[in-house]
Amino acid sequence: MLAAVSGGADSLALALLLTRLAPVHNFTLAGLAHFHHGLRGADADADQAFVAALASRLGVPCLTGRDDVAARATEAGESFETTARRLRYAFLDEAAASLGAALIATGHTADDQAETLVMRMMRGAGLHGLSGIRPRNGRVIRPLLGVRRSAIETFLNEAGERWRDDATNVDVAFARNRVRRDVMPALKAAAGDGVVDALARSASLIQDDAEELDRQAIEMARSVVLSDGRLDGAALARVNPAIARRLVRAAIERASGGRFVSLEQVDRARSLIKGDARQVVQLPGVTVTRDADGLRIAPARREPASPPFEARLEVPGAVELPGAGLLMSAELGTVPEGGLTALRARGDAVAVQGVGAAPLTVRSRRPGDALRPLGGPGRRKLQDVFVDRKLARADRDRVPLVVDESGRIIWVVGHTIADEFRVTSAQARVLLLTVRRVGGSV
């Protein structure tokens, strides 16, 4: 058995308990595995050193993996949490294989289960999501899933053990941390501390129901899945929606190589069975096509990556963007006739305020790009802005960004300006930015 250890209280307790239980239950602790997410600098390096020292004390190997999760998330168009989980489990699979471990143990607790259930309820998940964290998923097991976090910390304190605290566990940029800090205390105040166990128990009961529906879906697949792998549209329309969703989800997961599939994505694919004409839906990693007989769900063809670009834009002046076939121009003046309302309705021209005559840069996106979109409540990652606007991943590297000499984003061409550069008066001196295709309009 391989133990996944971050250095926190839960995974430290897991490693210590597995060491004690191994001779009693006739298994071997093959080693510890630690994944470095490329964040937190020296603190993360210290976590890795802590786990290595723990492995040495326990007399087992320590395998470590590392990646720049933030950069990978940007490349994949995923949330940080989704990318981190995908990369972490890929590393754990490789580590287990290298040590000959049949099982991978993680330190998830009853508190993690309760938080997961609450988060998924807030998203409107179905039974698949409300099943929460499974005690076992393939060769991944969670021996502490029925144990409270408070009991784990008591166990470690009584043993004189000290653990590492990860600062990102209190960073409210992550949804789980907001639930942990704000929602869970409110639930405990309303229903008592036992609400954590009650929520974990609900997840366990839902798992039983979900497993029965999974079994029925496997039986139904014989009459819905055609010999070439397509789904029979007429047969799919006749089965209960709970079964139909499972069949579609399984087909998407298979075609996408195991990507996370949301309920919304499943229902978008299912919506195609209601029509007669050929239709296509693009989902992350897959293309869903309705043809005469049903749904064909296949891996999406990867678009070639767009090369990065960058050009200097004089004020006033114009520049042709290399390889993009676009001409960008900048001109100082006043708000054009028609006012701001007419201008904001267009995607090829904007007026901005607070920009001088210093040269600007027009470039493609980079990791870490962020701005406060016009009228938005706060600063947001550019990646999230693109996701909100449902911009296809293949198109995101082609969107020009106009930035000032300090690197601040002024205009995400075709989408939004930064709120700090908005025009506040119709009489103000402004910078008019326009873009058009070489030889025609955008």
Side-chain angles (χ1 to χ4, degrees):
M1 189 181 303
L2 176 72
V5 182
S6 66
D10 301 343
S11 62
L12 171 59
L14 174 71
L16 296 174
L17 289 168
L18 290 179
T19 302
R20 294 186 187 185
L21 292 172
V24 178
H25 292 281
N26 195 31
F27 67 85
T28 301
L29 180 60
L32 310 185
H34 176 82
F35 186 73
H36 191 307
H37 293 76
L39 296 177
R40 300 170 43 243
D43 284 343
D45 295 339
D47 291 348
Q48 182 172 303
F50 175 87
V51 176
L54 174 64
S56 178
R57 174 156 62 104
L58 299 180
V60 298
C62 179
L63 275 66
T64 60
R66 179 170 184 157
D67 210 329
D68 186 342
V69 176
R72 295 281 192 176
T74 298
E75 292 171 5
E78 299 173 328
S79 69
F80 179 90
E81 297 96 319
T82 298
T83 301
R85 185 182 188 281
R86 176 169 56 81
L87 295 176
R88 186 167 58 246
Y89 277 100
F91 159 69
L92 291 174
D93 280 335
E94 293 175 0
S98 67
L99 292 176
L103 297 173
I104 301 168
T106 71
H108 292 92
T109 67
D111 295 77
D112 293 319
Q113 182 72 291
E115 292 162 4
T116 298
L117 184 61
V118 168
M119 290 171 63
R120 294 182 180 177
M121 289 174 66
M122 289 163 57
R123 292 204 308 258
L127 287 191
H128 183 85
L130 296 180
S131 297
I133 305 169
R134 301 294 179 108
R136 179 167 184 170
N137 185 9
R139 61 174 172 172
V140 177
I141 63 171
R142 283 95 181 199
L144 302 181
L145 199 55
V147 183
R148 292 291 304 277
R149 191 174 292 139
S150 57
I152 285 172
E153 293 183 358
T154 298
F155 162 72
L156 292 175
N157 286 326
E158 290 178 350
E161 296 284 350
R162 292 293 174 264
W163 58 88
R164 298 281 301 171
D165 286 319
D166 185 342
T168 61
N169 287 337
V170 294
D171 185 349
V172 293
F174 298 104
R176 180 177 291 275
N177 294 339
R178 296 195 295 274
V179 168
R180 184 175 296 168
R181 186 195 69 175
D182 300 328
V183 181
M184 297 308 298
L187 289 175
K188 291 175 185 177
D193 192 61
V195 72
V196 172
D197 294 315
L199 288 168
R201 185 168 61 252
S202 292
S204 179
L205 294 171
I206 292 170
Q207 284 172 16
D208 292 339
D209 293 345
E211 287 172 3
E212 170 58 22
L213 289 172
D214 288 343
R215 184 193 63 78
Q216 293 182 30
I218 291 171
E219 291 184 357
M220 188 63 68
R222 299 181 187 133
S223 60
V224 174
V225 181
L226 302 173
S227 59
D228 61 359
R230 290 176 302 146
L231 303 182
D232 184 321
L236 195 64
R238 288 194 297 267
V239 302
N240 183 282
I243 303 298
R245 287 190 181 98
R246 280 165 168 75
L247 293 170
V248 172
R249 180 188 299 277
I252 295 174
E253 288 177 342
R254 191 162 53 246
S256 66
R259 275 179 178 263
F260 169 77
V261 183
S262 70
L263 180 61
E264 178 191 14
Q265 291 166 358
V266 170
D267 282 342
R268 283 184 63 197
R270 285 183 59 236
S271 69
L272 297 187
I273 66 176
K274 299 176 182 177
D276 295 324
R278 177 183 171 85
Q279 301 173 66
V280 178
V281 166
Q282 294 289 347
L283 299 177
V286 300
T287 300
V288 185
T289 306
R290 178 187 172 85
D291 57 24
D293 299 317
L295 299 185
R296 182 183 300 278
I297 302 176
R301 290 183 298 177
R302 294 184 63 87
E303 296 286 340
S306 298
F309 59 86
E310 181 173 328
R312 179 185 174 96
L313 176 60
E314 299 289 347
V315 179
V319 65
E320 185 174 345
L321 302 185
L326 298 176
L327 184 69
M328 180 77 65
S329 64
E331 181 182 356
L332 291 168
T334 57
V335 177
E337 186 177 355
L340 296 179
T341 301
L343 197 60
R344 287 173 180 164
R346 298 166 55 188
D348 61 347
V350 294
V352 293
Q353 189 174 317
V355 182
L360 305 174
T361 299
V362 186
R363 62 168 175 83
S364 52
R365 64 172 179 160
R366 296 172 182 169
D369 278 337
L371 75 158
R372 179 183 178 184
L374 181 66
R379 192 170 176 81
R380 304 200 65 205
K381 294 179 181 178
L382 179 62
Q383 170 67 25
D384 295 336
V385 174
F386 285 157
V387 171
D388 288 347
R389 285 160 173 73
K390 295 181 171 53
L391 183 65
R393 187 177 297 117
D395 294 331
R396 296 172 191 173
D397 289 328
R398 302 189 183 105
V399 175
L401 308 178
V402 180
V403 302
D404 68 6
E405 57 185 346
S406 300
R408 296 177 300 173
I409 295 176
I410 299 171
W411 184 23
V412 182
V413 177
H415 294 276
T416 184
I417 65 169
D419 193 78
E420 63 191 295
F421 296 106
R422 72 188 186 280
V423 178
T424 57
S425 169
Q427 287 73 47
R429 292 284 294 174
V430 300
L431 177 67
L432 182 64
L433 297 168
T434 61
V435 63
R436 64 180 178 83
R437 292 208 178 278
V438 177
S441 60
V442 170

